[in-house]
Amino acid sequence: MSDTTKLTAEKRSDFGKGAARKIRRAGNIPAVMYGHGTDPVHISLPGHDTMMALKQANALLTIVIDGDEQLALAKDVQRDPIKPVIDHVDLVVVRKGEKVTVDVAVHLEGEAAPETVVTLDNNTLQLEVLATNIPENVVVSVEGLTAGTQIHAGAVELPEGATLVTDEDALVVNVTQAISEEALEAELAEAEAEAGIEREESDEEAASAEGEAGESAESTEAAPADEA
């Protein structure tokens, strides 16, 4: 069974923006818990402990209300766009032995072949798993993979008991050939030329041009004069 964080909540009867602001000023977080055909329960959660618990994706929580414990998952976490605080949490009730659908992060490990670029096209995979056994991530090895290799969702090894919900053909990892600095510079110059952008001469290019001009002048001066 996954580790759970126990949070002691208080029921609340005041609703609306004013009531929510009052809860947040007291250092708590307004939340609502629902699921399994039960009526939504509006609660107030301890601010600091809840923020720490929700740093982990798909955290399984034990919500204690009036001495009764209830397992729940955070379905929606509304965060302040500026300040590092949580404005509101939607919790969905879960049961032991019940399966839930969650987005699980993809974690890459290993080193691909030299002169390649590894692109993670899907940061998460949607899985159906036991509510009490949600994996922290799905590990995908890129060790030694060569350019042109692609890994699709259906080829990813899943944790025991997990079922893939994401489309099997969804691209997860794409390994391509790294572009050389010269080729990148040529592509950039071509794109700028097509766009009508006139490039400014770099200091190195200017110095090189001055050096070539100086050598040309010296060669002209050193050449013997034609005899009359």
Side-chain angles (χ1 to χ4, degrees):
M1 176 175 173
S2 298
D3 292 336
T4 67
T5 299
K6 186 174 292 188
L7 299 174
T8 301
E10 295 180 0
K11 285 186 178 180
R12 57 190 178 94
S13 55
D14 294 334
F15 311 107
K17 293 182 178 179
R21 282 196 295 267
K22 185 177 180 181
I23 291 172
R24 287 191 286 269
R25 280 198 300 268
N28 298 318
I29 298 173
V32 60
M33 187 166 64
Y34 53 87
H36 285 280
T38 60
D39 292 332
V41 179
H42 296 271
I43 56 178
S44 172
L45 296 171
H48 177 73
D49 291 345
T50 302
M51 288 186 66
M52 295 300 292
L54 295 181
K55 283 187 175 182
Q56 178 184 339
N58 302 316
L60 184 63
L61 307 174
T62 298
I63 307 298
V64 183
I65 306 175
D66 296 333
D68 294 327
E69 297 185 355
Q70 175 64 64
L71 289 177
L73 287 172
K75 184 176 179 63
D76 182 46
V77 180
Q78 299 174 20
R79 301 180 186 274
D80 187 281
I82 300 175
K83 295 179 290 185
V85 297
I86 296 175
D87 285 338
H88 189 274
V89 180
D90 281 12
L91 299 169
V92 59
V93 174
V94 296
R95 305 276 192 243
K96 292 180 181 179
E98 175 187 5
K99 287 195 171 184
V100 294
T101 300
V102 292
D103 291 328
V104 179
V106 175
H107 174 71
L108 300 183
E109 68 174 17
E111 294 289 337
E115 299 183 358
T116 58
V117 176
V118 177
T119 304
L120 183 60
D121 277 61
N122 270 293
N123 296 319
T124 63
L125 289 179
Q126 196 169 66
L127 307 178
E128 185 182 59
V129 295
L130 286 173
T132 53
N133 194 27
I134 300 174
E136 184 178 347
N137 54 46
V138 174
V139 177
V140 177
S141 174
V142 297
E143 184 65 35
L145 297 185
T146 56
T149 303
Q150 293 185 331
I151 300 177
H152 295 83
V156 175
E157 184 176 350
L158 302 179
E160 185 178 354
T163 303
L164 181 69
V165 177
T166 298
D167 187 341
E168 291 187 355
D169 294 329
L171 182 61
V172 179
V173 176
N174 190 24
V175 184
T176 56
Q177 185 67 44
I179 186 170
S180 67
E181 187 176 345
E182 293 77 9
L184 181 61
E185 186 70 19
E187 285 188 8
L188 180 59
E190 183 180 351
E192 289 176 341
E194 291 178 356
I197 300 174
E198 193 170 322
R199 299 187 67 187
E200 292 185 3
E201 192 175 49
S202 68
D203 292 340
E204 291 181 359
E205 291 171 335
S208 177
E210 287 178 3
E212 291 175 0
E215 290 175 3
S216 177
E218 288 176 3
S219 298
T220 302
E221 290 176 0
D226 293 338
E227 294 183 357

